[in-house]
């Protein structure tokens, strides 16, 4: 049988793993966005405005994807904070109840 603290710790591990994956995704998207910017600049230098516009549209889509992943990451960070608050409250309540029982025995 799993206790609530062990379930919470497992949940934290999952949250942290997901956050690491999302952070890596943000970094990959940033690299792709920067690479596209270089391609856009090159297309403009070569006078190929149509290609530059096309690449700009792709870059905008990637920027939007990155914004969505960042939003998810912020939600996950809030989830971790809430989990820590829950753990702290559980530990505090457990300690307080234990102290209360010990005090009543006196």
């Amino acid at each position: 049988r799993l206790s609530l603290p062990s379930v919470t710790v497992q949940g934290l591990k999952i949250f942290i793993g997901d956050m690491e994956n999302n952070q890596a995704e943000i970094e990959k998207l940033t690299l792709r966005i920067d690479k596209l910017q270089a391609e856009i600049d090159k297309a403009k230098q070569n006078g190929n405005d149509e290609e530059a516009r096309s690449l700009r549209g792709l870059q905008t889509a990637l920027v939007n994807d990155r914004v969505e992943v960042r939003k998810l990451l912020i939600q996950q960070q809030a989830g971790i904070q809430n989990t820590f608050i829950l753990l702290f409250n559980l530990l505090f309540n457990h300690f307080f109840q234990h102290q209360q029982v010990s005090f009543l025995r006196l």
Side-chain angles (χ1 to χ4, degrees):
R1 184 172 152 233
L2 293 173
S3 66
L4 187 55
S6 70
V7 170
T8 306
V9 169
Q10 289 173 355
L12 277 174
K13 288 179 182 177
I14 292 169
F15 262 130
I16 291 169
D18 288 347
M19 286 177 61
E20 289 171 346
N21 291 340
N22 285 330
Q23 187 62 45
E25 183 65 23
I26 289 170
E27 291 168 9
K28 281 193 274 184
L29 286 167
T30 299
L31 289 174
R32 289 177 64 199
I33 289 165
D34 293 346
K35 193 174 184 181
L36 275 172
Q37 186 61 51
E39 290 179 34
I40 291 166
D41 293 343
K42 185 177 176 182
K44 283 182 180 179
Q45 286 174 353
N46 293 338
N48 195 340
D49 292 337
E50 186 62 37
E51 182 182 358
R53 265 193 299 278
S54 175
L55 292 170
R56 177 72 69 195
L58 180 57
Q59 185 185 43
T60 300
L62 291 175
V63 168
N64 291 337
D65 288 348
R66 185 174 62 182
V67 167
E68 291 305 314
V69 175
R70 281 189 177 149
K71 286 180 186 177
L72 183 57
L73 191 58
I74 290 168
Q75 290 172 351
Q76 290 169 328
Q77 289 168 339
I80 282 185
Q81 289 171 341
N82 290 337
T83 303
F84 275 116
I85 290 168
L86 173 66
L87 270 176
F88 176 77
N89 286 335
L90 287 170
L91 292 171
F92 181 79
N93 289 338
H94 176 74
F95 176 76
F96 183 71
Q97 288 171 354
H98 180 71
Q99 291 303 314
Q100 204 172 26
V101 169
S102 297
F103 192 70
L104 290 174
R105 288 183 186 156
L106 295 175

